[in-house]
Amino acid sequence: ITSRLDIDAIIQQTMAGVNKLLDVEAGSLLLLDELTGELYFRITLRDEHKEITSYRLRPGEGIAGWVVRQNRPAIVNDTGADTRFSPKIDRAIGFRTRSILCAPLNVRGQPIGVLELVNKRRGPFTADDKDVLVAVCAALGIALKNADLYDVARQRASRNEVVNQVAATINAQHGLPATTKAIFDQFNRL
């Protein structure tokens, strides 16, 4: 996944691979809104995506919020016995979460979201499952950062192309004063 540059394809491939490896009923990728500190749903394994994308978790809310805040994974094999669990989403979509495996999604050591798996079909979540999810999250974090850097570079190249076209047009029609050309050159270096 680290070699792909299409963010949606990266996320879909990751979620499908995690489900195939760990065989879970549901799962979500939640990303951190840097302005509010809330977690929002980016994609889910089930078809409830449209139902839950409007929901957000406040900073620290639920197991996913705890994982982001602590920047460490969590295994909860009995959500009813864990005070960190928030049943808000379950109630909203008519689902029952019994167990959760959740790991932070990091870029340069800083959490940008979580990958949360729900209700393992065969047995409880294990430390081995956690290790698999942590490894997947590490690769996904790199892939998302690479895709983001690629998008920034592509936007910058596009902007530079427009600036160069404007400068060429002005120069062809009126001649470009040295100071204006210097400004365009400086802009292109940004």
Side-chain angles (χ1 to χ4, degrees):
I1 64 171
T2 58
S3 65
R4 304 215 38 198
L5 296 173
D6 177 356
I7 290 176
D8 289 332
I10 291 167
I11 292 170
Q12 289 172 352
Q13 181 183 1
T14 300
M15 295 301 283
V18 166
N19 190 32
K20 193 173 189 176
L21 282 171
L22 299 178
D23 193 23
V24 296
E25 286 182 25
S28 303
L29 174 67
L30 294 95
L31 295 177
L32 188 61
D33 182 325
E34 292 180 15
L35 296 176
T36 66
E38 296 173 319
L39 287 170
Y40 64 93
F41 289 85
R42 178 66 170 81
I43 193 169
T44 65
L45 283 176
R46 297 180 59 214
D47 293 331
E48 77 278 349
H49 182 65
K50 290 178 184 168
E51 293 177 46
I52 68 171
T53 53
S54 62
Y55 291 96
R56 289 178 164 245
L57 298 176
R58 293 181 316 274
E61 182 181 5
I63 293 168
W66 182 89
V67 166
V68 165
R69 185 168 275 166
Q70 300 299 315
N71 198 17
R72 62 182 225 211
I75 298 174
V76 177
N77 281 311
D78 182 3
T79 57
D82 195 304
T83 58
R84 298 172 295 179
F85 178 68
S86 172
K88 172 171 97 175
I89 306 298
D90 280 6
R91 279 188 242 135
I93 65 170
F95 186 76
R96 181 166 182 267
T97 300
R98 295 179 304 282
S99 61
I100 293 176
L101 172 60
C102 189
L105 185 60
N106 287 307
V107 171
R108 294 188 179 156
Q110 296 300 311
I112 62 165
V114 298
L115 191 52
E116 182 176 67
L117 303 178
V118 177
N119 299 345
K120 187 173 178 183
R121 294 185 197 275
R122 292 182 194 91
F125 287 113
T126 66
D128 288 341
D129 296 336
K130 178 186 75 169
D131 292 344
V132 167
L133 189 60
V134 167
V136 167
C137 284
L140 182 56
I142 292 167
L144 291 176
K145 186 63 179 173
N146 287 346
D148 187 45
L149 289 172
Y150 175 74
D151 283 345
V152 168
R154 191 176 55 190
Q155 290 170 4
R156 191 173 281 168
S158 177
R159 183 188 71 202
N160 288 346
E161 184 178 320
V162 168
V163 168
N164 286 335
Q165 288 173 356
V166 168
T169 301
I170 292 170
N171 191 33
Q173 292 177 356
H174 307 289
L176 200 57
T179 55
T180 306
K181 182 170 180 356
I183 291 170
F184 276 113
D185 289 344
Q186 184 88 18
F187 184 77
N188 278 331
R189 283 191 282 277
L190 296 177

